[in-house]
Amino acid sequence: MAGEDRSPGTAPRAAAPDETPDLYGAYPRLTPKQIRFLSGHGTRRPVAAGEVLIREGDRGGDFYVILGGSVAITEYYGTSDERLLRLHRQGRFLGELGLLQGQVAFYTAHAREAGEVLVIPVDRLRVLVARDPVLGNLVLRAYLGRRTMLVGAGAGFRILGSRYSSDTRRLREFAARNWLPHRWIDLETDAEAEALLRRFSVAPEETPIVIWREEQVLRNPGNAELARLIGLSTPAADGDHDLLIVGSGPAGIAAAVYGSSDGLATTLVDAFATGGQAGTSSLIENYLGFPSGISGSELAERGVLQARKFGARVRIPAKATSLEPDGGHYRVTFTDGTEALGRTVVLATGAHYRRLDVPGIARLEGTSVFYAATVYEARQCGADPVAVVGGGNSAGQASLFLAERVPRVHLLIRGASLGAGMSRYLVDQIERHPRVNVALDTEVREVRGDDTLRSVVVEHIRTKERRALDACSLFVFIGAKPCTDWLSDVLALDDEGFVLTGAEAEARAAPGVWESQSRGCLRLETSLPGVFAAGDVRSGSVKRVASAAGEGAMAVHHVHDHLGHTTAGLPGPGDDLPAPSGRSAAPGGDPHASATDAHPLHMTGGEGR
């Protein structure tokens, strides 16, 4: 099996006829040497037939290695809907990604035959895999693969709601972006919907609902309520943080990894999901260390696991609404009314794609107009053509990803050249792909369709010729708007709303702020000492994920510089702060700083732009 540490002359035992085959490294068999190593840190015990080792809905648990007998992985265990997912025998281990992240189990594991298992507490497992890179990579690869298969199998909780409901779309997107196993039941078309409504005494107008373990129903829950049900994030930590990171794209995740590994009490928060825009990329092929490419969601999960391994806390969802100095620290307030106090803050909120402003588009957003291209969106396309708008890497990656699933992709680019804003490797693949049709000098003028998209009306910029293209879905990747609305009265921003840093930030800071610091403004520091900006949210940054990860690491270096100086002159509550007029007309920042001055983050990042 790939990734196994085999002793010379030792071959892995083949799967038994009724055992689930090892698919893509998701179900490897540990070698005798690895089992001996783990045995020194766990307890061997017998198991009886039918004994439950992991129960669906329980949080945490232990790491199990099967030493004898067999273990079945089932969904809806003990109910009339019970479904066998996998079967494992001697030498395999149990668990999936949720075990390492503290989430609830999305399945039940029970002994199908009597046997023996090795039991290791999960906290001990984290230490062991960190000490043994080969074993660690084997477990991580398997757990990532298992989570992917659970998501693909529609295991986990169920979302029942109308495809035309904005709340249904919200819940589905939240689950998909956070890689949570779930299944959507369409209120309009799924035959199962009516029976479930009757079973749980729910009226259609009360949907969407989330059904968990056939016994718990949440009526139109908020994202935070769903996150608590699944155990998606750790509770808010009391007390001060050495480092508070707002935003969990590549820059934020990198800062969390480097900050926590340096021993800083680090908390990472995000309003929606980890990964940022990179998390919506289906395949990233040009990031160092991943020659065969990797999805943005897997990159994000790997990075978050690294940060957790070093002790970082992760809160999702937690949308920041204000930032203010407070007695030598900074206080960040969130929409749920909670607060966090940090000695330093790294802003890595990134940017989001601008909405396409054409007639008829608003009613179709979320049902057939999308601003991301993942498996979640691709499933809704069926076997009809789609259109992609944009000339950057994200548009190119989306086009290639969708072209493997639909008969025709119309790539609509406003510019006159495909290579003007797109990496050469993508240009070459797009030009060779038989199902991608590129239209240059083209803009969308109208979308047509009642409940779902039927066609897109486009216009050639120079000739003014209009035509309608058949398309069931429209994917939009045009421009970026920084997520800084909550900072406009606090920090100096440029004319487009990106955060100024370095010399430009110092020049726009409130009077007296820097005179009391006994140092100048650091390269990634904002107009407030101890508050840093990294990644896409920073004015002048290179809008690539690799450079964002580098800036996240560099920001932590600045954090140490700041903490090494006195902060006695830090503004307190009520002190003057930069006003909105502190925006600069000139672009700021050094676009080469992040690429050359910071260590790249292994296992985190990618060219998802």
Side-chain angles (χ1 to χ4, degrees):
M1 305 292 177
E4 288 197 27
D5 179 20
R6 297 195 196 110
S7 302
T10 301
R13 195 186 71 166
D18 61 343
E19 186 178 39
T20 301
D22 180 21
L23 304 171
Y24 313 111
Y27 309 115
R29 203 178 306 281
L30 296 173
T31 65
K33 179 179 178 181
Q34 290 169 332
I35 293 176
R36 287 194 299 271
F37 169 71
L38 290 172
S39 295
H41 303 277
T43 304
R44 301 169 72 112
R45 70 171 180 85
V47 293
E51 180 178 347
V52 173
L53 302 175
I54 301 172
R55 188 175 298 278
E56 186 175 358
D58 287 353
R59 190 191 298 238
D62 296 315
F63 177 77
Y64 293 94
V65 179
I66 304 171
L67 302 178
S70 64
V71 175
I73 308 299
T74 61
E75 187 180 24
Y76 310 132
Y77 178 67
T79 72
S80 59
D81 295 326
E82 181 174 329
R83 178 169 62 130
L84 177 66
L85 299 176
R86 317 283 180 228
L87 181 67
H88 303 303
R89 293 187 177 275
Q90 182 179 351
R92 288 189 175 178
F93 53 87
L94 306 182
E96 59 96 37
L97 193 61
L99 179 65
L100 296 178
Q101 295 184 331
Q103 297 175 10
V104 299
F106 294 98
Y107 56 85
T108 293
H110 60 95
R112 197 174 201 184
E113 302 168 333
E116 185 181 21
V117 294
L118 173 64
V119 188
I120 301 172
V122 68
D123 289 341
R124 185 61 181 161
L125 172 69
R126 293 190 183 100
V127 175
L128 296 177
V129 298
R131 285 169 42 186
D132 187 332
V134 174
L135 178 63
N137 187 63
L138 183 73
V139 172
L140 178 60
R141 180 186 178 192
Y143 278 7
L144 289 167
R146 294 176 190 185
R147 172 55 63 93
T148 299
M149 291 179 182
L150 281 174
V151 170
F157 57 91
R158 286 178 283 183
I159 300 172
L160 192 162
S162 169
R163 65 176 60 198
Y164 309 119
S165 163
S166 60
D167 282 318
T168 300
R169 296 195 297 268
R170 169 183 56 80
L171 289 168
R172 293 180 63 200
E173 184 179 4
F174 183 78
R177 287 286 307 278
N178 285 288
W179 216 12
L180 300 177
H182 69 287
R183 180 160 62 92
W184 170 49
I185 302 170
D186 190 349
L187 181 66
E188 275 78 26
T189 62
D190 201 312
E192 186 182 0
E194 186 175 349
L196 288 172
L197 291 177
R198 286 198 304 267
R199 182 193 303 182
F200 295 109
S201 301
V202 175
E205 58 270 19
E206 294 180 284
T207 60
I209 60 173
V210 170
I211 305 170
W212 175 238
R213 297 177 59 205
E214 301 302 298
E215 60 188 37
Q216 189 170 358
V217 176
L218 304 181
R219 285 171 165 80
N220 194 16
N223 293 344
E225 186 179 359
L226 179 56
R228 286 193 296 270
L229 174 72
I230 302 303
L232 180 62
S233 63
T234 55
D238 295 329
D240 297 350
H241 306 77
D242 293 325
L243 174 59
L244 180 61
I245 304 164
V246 185
S248 66
I253 294 174
V257 170
Y258 280 92
S260 56
S261 65
D262 285 350
L264 299 174
T266 302
T267 292
L268 175 68
V269 302
D270 196 281
F272 196 75
T274 59
Q277 287 190 29
T280 67
S281 295
S282 53
L283 185 65
I284 301 168
E285 296 184 82
N286 65 335
Y287 187 76
L288 179 66
F290 298 97
S292 59
I294 190 169
S295 71
S297 60
E298 184 173 338
L299 278 168
E301 290 294 340
R302 285 172 175 261
V304 170
L305 284 173
Q306 281 182 289
R308 289 181 184 271
K309 179 180 74 173
F310 293 122
R313 300 176 67 89
V314 181
R315 283 188 61 196
I316 295 173
K319 184 176 182 180
T321 58
S322 68
L323 167 71
E324 60 180 351
D326 189 345
H329 291 65
Y330 287 100
R331 183 177 301 277
V332 176
T333 303
F334 303 97
T335 51
D336 62 0
T338 61
E339 297 178 335
L341 203 62
R343 298 172 66 195
T344 60
V345 176
V346 170
L347 301 172
T349 50
H352 57 79
Y353 290 110
R354 297 183 185 276
R355 263 39 184 176
L356 189 62
D357 185 16
V358 296
I361 198 168
R363 67 177 182 276
L364 300 176
E365 289 183 335
T367 58
S368 47
V369 174
F370 306 104
Y371 295 86
T374 66
V375 174
Y376 161 71
E377 290 84 14
R379 284 176 181 163
Q380 301 184 61
C381 294
D384 297 312
V386 303
V388 177
V389 182
N393 278 6
S394 291
Q397 290 167 341
S399 297
L400 292 169
F401 171 70
L402 294 167
E404 299 304 315
R405 293 159 173 80
V406 299
R408 173 67 62 185
V409 175
H410 300 286
L411 177 55
L412 313 175
I413 300 177
R414 183 179 183 181
S417 169
L418 182 61
M422 194 178 296
S423 296
R424 188 68 235 175
Y425 81 97
L426 287 171
V427 173
D428 292 340
Q429 291 182 56
I430 287 171
E431 290 179 341
R432 292 195 303 264
H433 204 294
R435 289 194 291 277
V436 179
N437 176 55
V438 179
L440 301 175
D441 294 318
T442 300
E443 289 187 328
V444 177
R445 295 301 183 210
E446 183 186 355
V447 293
R448 294 174 178 172
D450 296 325
D451 296 324
T452 59
L453 184 69
R454 291 186 294 104
S455 64
V456 177
V457 177
V458 299
E459 179 180 279
H460 193 276
I461 295 174
R462 287 184 285 110
T463 66
K464 304 302 180 183
E465 177 186 357
R466 292 195 176 192
R467 57 192 176 112
L469 302 174
D470 290 338
C472 70
S473 296
L474 177 65
F475 295 83
V476 182
F477 303 94
I478 55 169
K481 180 182 178 182
C483 302
T484 56
D485 291 345
W486 63 292
L487 298 170
S488 59
D489 295 327
V490 181
L491 299 177
L493 310 177
D494 70 13
D495 281 352
E496 295 183 352
F498 292 90
V499 179
L500 291 171
T501 57
E504 289 183 297
E506 183 173 359
R508 313 297 292 193
V513 168
W514 289 100
E515 285 77 356
S516 61
Q517 290 298 306
S518 71
R519 63 172 177 83
C521 184
L522 300 169
R523 187 172 297 183
L524 300 184
E525 200 162 20
T526 70
S527 53
L528 287 179
V531 178
F532 305 90
D536 287 3
V537 76
R538 189 178 71 84
S539 178
S541 66
V542 178
K543 305 305 187 220
R544 295 294 181 110
V545 178
S547 60
E551 288 194 5
M554 186 177 174
V556 173
H557 176 72
H558 287 339
V559 165
H560 287 295
D561 288 341
H562 171 75
L563 293 177
H565 286 76
T566 177
T567 57
L570 195 66
D575 289 353
D576 290 336
L577 295 175
S581 59
R583 301 189 180 194
S584 170
D590 180 358
H592 304 291
S594 62
T596 59
D597 295 353
H599 299 292
L601 175 60
H602 179 59
M603 297 172 67
T604 307
E607 297 308 307
R609 297 287 307 184

